[in-house]
Amino acid sequence: MNSTTMPPLEVDDFTVTLHTPTLSVRPVDGVSYSVQAGEVLAVVGESGSGKTILNMAPLDLLPVGVDAEMKGSVRFEGRDLLNMSTSELEAVRGGGIGVVFQDPLSALNPVRKIGRQLTEGIERHLGLTPTQAENRTAELLTLVGLPDPKSRMQQYPHELSGGQRQRVGIAMGISGEPRVLIADEPTTALDVTVQAQIVELLKDLQKRMGMAIVIITHDFGVVSGLADKVAVMYAGRLSELGSVRDVLIDPAHPYTRGLLQSVPSLTVPMDTKFLGLPGQPPNMAYRIEGCAFAPRCIEARADCHVNRPSLLSVPHSASDRLAACPVIVNQFA
Amino acid sequence: MLEPILQITDLKTHFRDSRTGADIRACDGVTLHLNPGEIVGLVGESGCGKSTLGRTIVGLERARSGSIMFKGQDVLALKGREGAATRREIQYIFQDPLSSLSPRQTVGEALNEALIINGEGNSAARRARTLELLEEVSLPSQLVDRYAREMSGGQRQRVCIARALAADPKVLVCDEPVSSLDVSIRAQIMNLFLKLRDDMGMACLLIAHDLSIVRLAAQRVYVMYLGQIMEEGQSASLYRKPAHPYTQALLSAVPLTNPDEEQSRRRILLRGEVPSPINPPSGCRFRTRCPAKQSECETMPPLMPFEPGHGARCHFTGKVDIVANAAVP
């Protein structure tokens, strides 16, 4: 396979098991997908669905002290991140793969000036001189929509508003000129007017730089405005994977349907009832037999509680789409 | 015309900046009312003063001036035991149910305590009422011996609502009651508020940043910006025809879940940041960010009527639509 067709990120049967002294849990369980250059994939799920661990564990970005056992493969430009040495991984992280965190304040050092925090990584990953790196930092801050970059570089993180800090966080994420940008809930802490600005910024950067973006979110509004493909996660497993139009306009998996129903859009009729999902997500400390969503599913059959469904191709979709629900896939046929 | 259960007039709550001593005008002249059996939305972005307003209503912040009339009395002037009894009829629901429940109390103990505070002296009556309260919030009675940590987020928020109901309130002030919950369980709590409104005639002030949820739950909505109400109206009217440029921009920023609708809509991206409430702009508070500002905007506009029960604090109410002039992407 040559480098023009190889997806920059390929996740294959990826499983994470976390070990504590008393128990083992599996927050990511057999997940596979790939992201093409210039494509935005949204990984959607509720808290505890494993969407953050799925993306952070391969980069060794889990909290310190977490003992994570990883199986399967996560290939960046063909090289498996799981087999990399610490120094190889350090070169990839912040270089070929950029990361944007939900809370930019916690990703920035509070007692160091913004400029210094950015130039440091740029010097290392792009091999520039300090002066070149400083000029590049000013360019990046302009690129993410922060006017007067030279004076911004002299400021500390607490002197910026939430939206400005996230712009700095994004500047940091793209500073190594990554081919893959992983953004973990980059708009969750922001107001809608600021969120709209950040979504526009990410779209614009993606167009200019042609990178692949993986955005981790629970907000379908962000997905519909930004993403090309969406992966819906439930209890550590993929429940649906397909184009944004297929999944958001005509969801197949009962969990995707329930989740979309739970977020009434501004355009639904005024007399729309609040609909959610009954019950709770499963306790991950126990082994899940069958479909993890079956206890909350209105479509569930006896079989669903016993056999774990595999991802099946959903017929009559506009583009390739998979759903882990034999009951619904049969209805689509 | 229905008599409001709660009438707030020209309410100001200011804080002192500890460093400079300057006044932070968090809530700066708000007039708002709630009718019995009505859910009223109070929306706006973080820092607009909506939580300060809610906290002032229940006495968690001290008002600088203005009045809060409830059952014919100004609750800001109420003192002593009688004042406390009246204030108990206005209950507050916090955003984070876990931090508003004691980790050392079971559900039954928490509700029992609330009933004692409300003056229920008979322990058998309290036990019976506890079970009734659990039923009113659709929690199974077995939960009575559970601790907060042993419950889900949705169950905890139901317990908080049951505890508020122990005081037989007439008004609930709910500050972001579902935003800490996973989206798939938010409907359970929103439907509970609708049920309390329909079955008990409860009036709710629903403070929220989620405009889509408020649209479906509230009959009327107030939009707040920099300590002031910029627009108010029936939900049906306000969401269909927002009259204030701020409301127009705010609604246009809310992403739609349908990608076809989302990618073809007109949108106004507001520039810059919300100014500081220490030194808000003179005249219209929104004029520093308003794409339609004129020289008139240097004087403070009054609330101008637009449609019946719907008005906006904009000189050009009914004449401005900043989103209609925005480019289609």
Side-chain angles (χ1 to χ4, degrees), chain A residues 46-47 161 191 193 195-197 200 221 224 245 248 259 262 264-268 270 274-277 280 296, chain B residues 45-46 152 182-184 187-188 190-191 212-213 215-216 236 254-257 260-263 269-270 273:
Chain A
E46 298 179 89
S47 48
S161 72
D191 277 314
T193 57
Q195 171 177 301
Q197 295 169 359
E200 283 303 312
S224 80
R245 288 200 75 234
L248 265 59
L259 204 55
S262 308
S265 196
L266 270 182
T267 48
V268 299
M270 290 287 292
F274 287 108
L275 292 170
L277 287 164
Q280 301 296 326
R296 304 174 76 187
Chain B
E45 298 180 276
S46 42
S152 69
D182 259 327
V183 291
S184 72
Q188 302 170 14
M190 291 315 300
N191 284 327
S212 310
I213 284 184
R215 176 172 173 264
L216 298 186
V254 177
L256 305 175
T257 47
D260 290 346
E261 290 174 2
E262 171 65 14
Q263 283 157 24
L269 281 184
L270 287 179
E273 311 278 334

Side-chain angles (χ1 to χ4, degrees), chain A residues 142-222:
Chain A
T142 309
L143 190 66
V144 297
L146 285 172
D148 195 9
K150 293 279 182 199
S151 61
R152 291 284 174 219
M153 288 164 70
Q154 297 304 314
Q155 287 182 307
Y156 292 94
H158 75 267
E159 298 178 86
L160 304 182
S161 72
Q164 289 169 337
R165 280 201 291 259
Q166 193 52 288
R167 285 176 193 272
V168 172
I170 291 170
M172 224 166 179
I174 62 169
S175 64
E177 295 173 7
R179 274 87 73 199
V180 175
L181 183 71
I182 293 179
D184 185 9
E185 303 264 13
T187 64
T188 300
L190 306 174
D191 277 314
V192 280
T193 57
V194 185
Q195 171 177 301
Q197 295 169 359
I198 298 293
V199 167
E200 283 303 312
L201 171 64
L202 286 170
K203 267 201 263 192
D204 179 52
L205 290 173
Q206 196 263 350
K207 264 189 215 132
R208 289 192 206 201
M209 303 173 66
M211 59 193 168
I213 297 183
V214 178
I215 179 164
I216 305 162
T217 182
H218 67 275
D219 186 341
F220 277 115
V222 173

